[in-house]
Amino acid sequence: MQASQRRRDGCTECRRKKVKCDLQKPVCTRCQHYPKGCVYNLSVVGQAVKPRPAKQQLSAPRTGVAIDRQDQMDVIQSLEALANQPSLHLSSALSSEQSRFFMHIFATETAPRLFPAAPDLFLQRMISASMQTPHLLYALLAAACSHHSRLMQDTSSSSKIACLKFTNLAISSLRSTISESSQRLPTETVATAMALCTNDVCNGNMHVWRTHLGGVRQLLNTFLAQEKSRWVQDSYIHSLVKWFTTLNLIASLSGQSHIGITSEVAKEPLNELLGQSSGYIDDVCGYSLELVPCLTQLSHLIHQQSMTASTSDDMLQDAMFLQRSQLLENELFMLLNTTVSDTTMKSKGELALELQHTHRAFVHTALLHLHRRVQKLPISHPQVRADVAGIICAVQDIRPFSAANILILWPVFSAGCETDMPSERCIIQGRMANMQSLGMGNFTRARDLLNLFWASRTTLQWDAFFAQLGLELVLF
């Protein structure tokens, strides 16, 4: 009698204990009380899609400048392992050489770009879950396809068709799943919607990203209401909430249009995360979660300022508005020296140190928006000049091609719009060009609009200028 072979497709925790895994995603039944250990190491490349030589992977495309990825090697190595091991349950969506190639690109290029400092578990679980979830897999393939085309400067029709194909498959599959779901909403539906929304921003698809962001908000609200007992202990869900929070906040702060900040349902897990953060810089957001309430309040103040012009006859309203503004200013200054945790420092190395500079850049940018868009201080005011200088200083403390730059588009663009000094503009242009060369389409769009703003020599503030032209951008 032939001995049965031990299954090798279970989660890492069940395999470690040498017990049978029921393969429930994203967390198997045995790991419900310990979700952090439940990871499925599945293959993403079934046949020979050879990884590029290490030397080639470590150099910036078309620039010849080396990229130090030592701070990402753990996640790169774990994702590369997925790309080179045989799989027992390879998704049928990866049956073509094209799809396997783009999944390899997502694992080794796109994911580290979109989430440069995120915990390894977050990316591992998202990729593992996609093997069993067609709409999530197609969304990741679409992100990889569009990123690769920008990276290689491929504007061919075949590249555009491939990106559109994966996007349409992701949307149609997601709609089908939602319409057929009569019970619990899976975690992957939220991840798919957020991946599509993020890809919209990177591609510059401003006419559809709002629709997708609204869809994300609805799905997240439904999911969190159903899964109230799970998100408290599940770090993967925590990362999804923080991913949405970053998208939502920056969307609200990117122009004059006001978008409702996180709904009441999503506030509870966010408050829970605030309680757990212990004042450290978050490795998904790139800034401390204590900054989130400040950015939310800033968005409301900007919206209030744009909707109701204060007059000298309404002294009480002016006084209350000024008091709220000053209190927020004090809170922001208190957050300037926030540091990363010891855990992040050990796992991320030099990138962890740079997270402290991305955080400082966000705080200085919040102060800049407060002084310019709320208090209406002139561009030459000493406080405004200090804000821009603080952002520039933080940016220069980050390596030119470090993955940490991906986190700070909002600070970099904001500083560029509020300075007329050639030396500072040169620094901003150079940093945005670096990121653009790494296939980040949101940097391309922001850089084009920044050049347009500079060339206009307008006296309008940048948000009013772009609103007047009917242009929209999201600095994510």
Side-chain angles (χ1 to χ4, degrees):
M1 182 175 177
Q2 187 177 4
S4 60
Q5 293 184 339
R6 182 166 62 91
R7 297 187 67 164
R8 299 180 182 275
D9 54 342
C11 74
T12 53
E13 188 65 8
C14 288
R15 289 168 62 187
R16 184 181 69 82
K17 294 179 179 179
K18 297 182 179 180
V19 295
K20 185 177 180 180
C21 180
D22 62 5
L23 305 178
Q24 291 295 315
K25 302 293 193 314
V27 180
C28 75
T29 302
R30 288 182 177 274
C31 292
Q32 288 292 328
H33 299 296
Y34 184 63
K36 292 184 178 181
C38 193
V39 178
Y40 292 89
N41 291 327
L42 300 179
S43 171
V44 297
V45 176
Q47 297 181 9
V49 177
K50 295 183 180 180
R52 292 179 298 168
K55 186 176 181 180
Q56 184 178 349
Q57 290 187 9
L58 297 178
S59 61
R62 306 179 185 272
T63 63
V65 181
I67 305 173
D68 183 2
R69 285 206 199 158
Q70 186 58 46
D71 45 27
Q72 297 181 25
M73 289 310 295
D74 288 342
V75 67
I76 289 291
Q77 290 172 358
S78 62
L79 295 176
E80 280 279 8
L82 296 177
N84 291 289
Q85 294 177 1
S87 172
L88 297 176
H89 291 277
L90 191 66
S91 170
S92 60
L94 294 178
S95 58
S96 71
E97 183 178 350
Q98 181 191 53
S99 59
R100 291 194 298 274
F101 170 74
F102 283 124
M103 197 59 203
H104 176 79
I105 291 297
F106 181 83
T108 59
E109 293 286 349
T110 307
R113 290 278 180 268
L114 295 177
F115 308 101
D120 297 357
L121 177 64
F122 172 55
L123 297 180
Q124 290 169 351
R125 281 183 60 177
M126 182 163 58
I127 291 178
S128 296
S130 73
M131 296 298 102
Q132 307 293 330
T133 314
H135 53 74
L136 177 57
L137 179 58
Y138 286 130
L140 302 188
L141 292 176
C145 184
S146 58
H147 177 226
H148 184 259
S149 64
R150 292 191 301 268
L151 197 62
M152 305 307 295
Q153 299 181 16
D154 181 5
T155 58
S156 65
S157 58
S158 60
S159 175
K160 294 177 182 177
I161 290 172
C163 295
L164 187 60
K165 177 189 72 174
F166 289 132
T167 301
N168 289 340
L169 286 170
I171 293 174
S172 61
S173 178
L174 180 61
R175 286 174 176 169
S176 176
T177 300
I178 294 174
S179 64
E180 294 173 0
S181 178
S182 58
Q183 299 178 348
R184 243 175 33 175
L185 190 66
T187 314
E188 288 68 40
T189 57
V190 180
T192 298
M194 280 196 276
L196 289 170
C197 189
T198 302
N199 204 29
D200 288 335
V201 175
C202 291
N203 286 335
N205 298 331
M206 296 298 99
H207 62 290
V208 295
W209 80 267
R210 278 185 181 277
T211 301
H212 285 166
L213 183 64
V216 171
R217 187 182 293 109
Q218 292 178 13
L219 288 173
L220 185 63
N221 289 342
T222 302
F223 173 78
L224 292 174
Q226 293 175 346
E227 300 290 340
K228 201 167 185 178
S229 60
R230 276 189 57 203
W231 56 252
V232 175
Q233 300 180 10
D234 195 328
S235 61
Y236 180 67
I237 298 177
H238 292 178
S239 294
L240 291 178
V241 171
K242 290 184 286 189
W243 182 5
F244 167 77
T245 299
T246 297
L247 267 176
N248 204 36
L249 270 175
I250 297 304
S252 183
L253 290 165
S254 291
Q256 286 195 325
S257 57
H258 183 72
I259 299 173
I261 304 302
T262 313
S263 67
E264 292 300 321
V265 178
K267 282 181 180 177
E268 188 174 355
L270 186 57
N271 290 336
E272 179 75 19
L273 294 177
L274 287 171
Q276 294 178 3
S277 66
S278 302
Y280 293 120
I281 296 168
D282 182 71
D283 45 14
V284 172
C285 300
Y287 48 82
S288 168
L289 293 181
E290 274 74 15
L291 187 58
V292 172
C294 294
L295 294 179
T296 302
Q297 186 179 354
L298 174 62
S299 176
H300 286 310
L301 287 174
I302 292 172
H303 178 62
Q304 183 179 345
Q305 180 68 285
S306 64
M307 293 296 292
T308 58
S310 298
T311 64
S312 57
D313 295 331
D314 194 354
M315 298 299 293
L316 179 60
Q317 181 179 350
D318 283 351
M320 292 179 61
F321 193 79
L322 181 61
Q323 184 181 28
R324 289 173 61 195
S325 175
Q326 290 175 338
L327 288 174
L328 177 57
E329 186 174 15
N330 293 336
E331 288 183 52
L332 288 169
F333 275 118
M334 291 176 63
L335 294 174
L336 267 173
N337 296 320
T338 306
T339 60
V340 297
S341 66
D342 291 339
T343 302
T344 301
M345 184 65 73
K346 290 178 182 178
S347 63
K348 300 300 178 182
E350 192 169 3
L351 181 60
L353 291 174
E354 291 179 327
L355 289 181
Q356 297 180 173
H357 304 312
T358 65
H359 170 81
R360 282 198 298 113
F362 268 90
V363 175
H364 282 298
T365 306
L367 287 166
L368 176 62
H369 282 250
L370 181 66
H371 292 146
R372 285 288 285 148
R373 298 172 70 186
V374 176
Q375 297 178 3
K376 300 295 184 179
L377 299 180
I379 195 172
S380 59
H381 193 281
Q383 284 184 299
V384 174
R385 297 302 313 141
D387 297 335
V388 173
I391 297 171
I392 297 291
C393 182
V395 169
Q396 290 186 304
D397 283 336
I398 299 172
R399 293 164 292 167
F401 282 93
S402 169
N405 288 282
I406 293 162
L407 301 169
I408 57 171
L409 179 56
W410 183 58
V412 170
F413 183 88
S414 299
C417 286
E418 303 295 359
T419 180
D420 52 11
M421 295 181 61
S423 59
E424 292 180 339
R425 287 187 173 187
C426 183
I427 293 170
I428 296 299
Q429 275 277 30
R431 198 54 64 108
M432 294 180 78
N434 292 349
M435 293 302 99
Q436 182 179 340
S437 72
L438 299 182
M440 302 310 296
N442 44 351
F443 277 82
T444 302
R445 178 175 174 81
R447 190 181 180 206
D448 290 343
L449 292 182
L450 184 59
N451 285 326
L452 176 65
F453 180 70
W454 286 344
S456 71
R457 299 181 181 273
T458 180
T459 57
L460 294 174
Q461 288 194 11
W462 64 270
D463 53 337
F465 172 75
F466 292 126
Q468 187 179 74
L469 295 179
L471 297 173
E472 188 174 15
L473 72 162
V474 177
L475 301 169
F476 172 78

